[in-house]
Amino acid sequence: MYGAERGTRDGVPEEDREVAEVPERGRVSGGGRAGRRPLRVVEVTGPSMVPTLYHGDLLLVQYGVPVRPGDVVILRHPFQQDLLVVKRAVEQRPGGWWVRGDNTFAGGDSTDYGVVPEELVLARVRARYRPPAKGSKGQRSVTEVLGWAASALRPVRSASTRLRAR
């Protein structure tokens, strides 16, 4: 599952931008406010994190924060470092993090490329926003609108303690 920065702030198309500028590890940024870390919005593409994240979901991610086992993270693909990937950090091992997709059938995680060096793990996902379905036309019932509203914005929590690396 890949991430792309939302919008064309400087007139630069989305496909020509990176997700965000990566702060140096251990440095605090945010205009002089101590303890503030940069937040960015990224868009999910692909099925590797279903059912936690779906194609088109928007994620609020925080750069330069510690990662714990079970966190959903943004990382650079170890073999294709211009590609940003969303995975779950399962456990820390010698040399970095073992990461997995929540969709076991999608692949593209540490079972394919091994341990991801810690410097390639860039950010931790804080929240997910699921936009309304694009295919719905006409009026929606109150029940549909309330159901969407209740599930549209959610914090992304750590996985259960039963999550294990293979």
Side-chain angles (χ1 to χ4, degrees):
M1 187 168 308
Y2 312 108
E5 188 166 356
R6 191 79 172 162
T8 56
R9 208 175 15 215
D10 302 296
V12 179
E14 286 185 29
E15 60 270 11
D16 294 339
R17 299 186 75 129
E18 282 192 41
V19 166
E21 301 79 34
V22 181
E24 291 179 31
R25 203 170 271 292
R27 294 205 41 195
V28 176
S29 62
R33 292 183 181 171
R36 302 290 296 213
R37 307 283 182 174
L39 294 170
R40 302 287 177 170
V41 175
V42 298
E43 184 175 2
V44 176
T45 60
S48 74
M49 288 297 290
V50 170
T52 307
L53 305 172
Y54 289 91
H55 181 83
D57 284 355
L58 301 177
L59 306 177
L60 181 65
V61 299
Q62 189 171 19
Y63 284 80
V65 294
V67 174
R68 297 180 310 242
D71 287 343
V72 177
V73 296
I74 306 292
L75 59 110
R76 290 194 185 279
H77 192 285
F79 302 141
Q80 199 177 348
Q81 292 191 12
D82 60 333
L83 181 64
L84 297 168
V85 182
V86 178
K87 298 292 178 199
R88 189 173 301 278
V90 177
E91 68 182 19
Q92 194 158 23
R93 293 184 175 183
W97 282 95
W98 188 265
V99 297
R100 296 282 313 218
D102 287 358
N103 180 351
T104 57
F105 301 107
D109 54 24
S110 286
T111 57
D112 295 331
Y113 45 72
V115 174
V116 176
E118 188 150 353
E119 61 270 9
L120 297 182
V121 178
L122 307 176
R124 185 166 69 185
V125 175
R126 294 298 193 174
R128 181 257 312 151
Y129 170 73
R130 186 160 292 148
K134 293 180 178 142
S136 61
K137 294 187 179 193
Q139 293 197 355
R140 300 173 78 182
S141 72
V142 173
T143 307
E144 286 178 318
V145 171
L146 291 175
W148 167 80
S151 69
L153 183 62
R154 290 244 170 115
V156 177
R157 295 198 172 99
S158 296
S160 77
T161 55
R162 295 182 300 147
L163 185 65
R164 298 181 317 155
R166 290 192 223 160

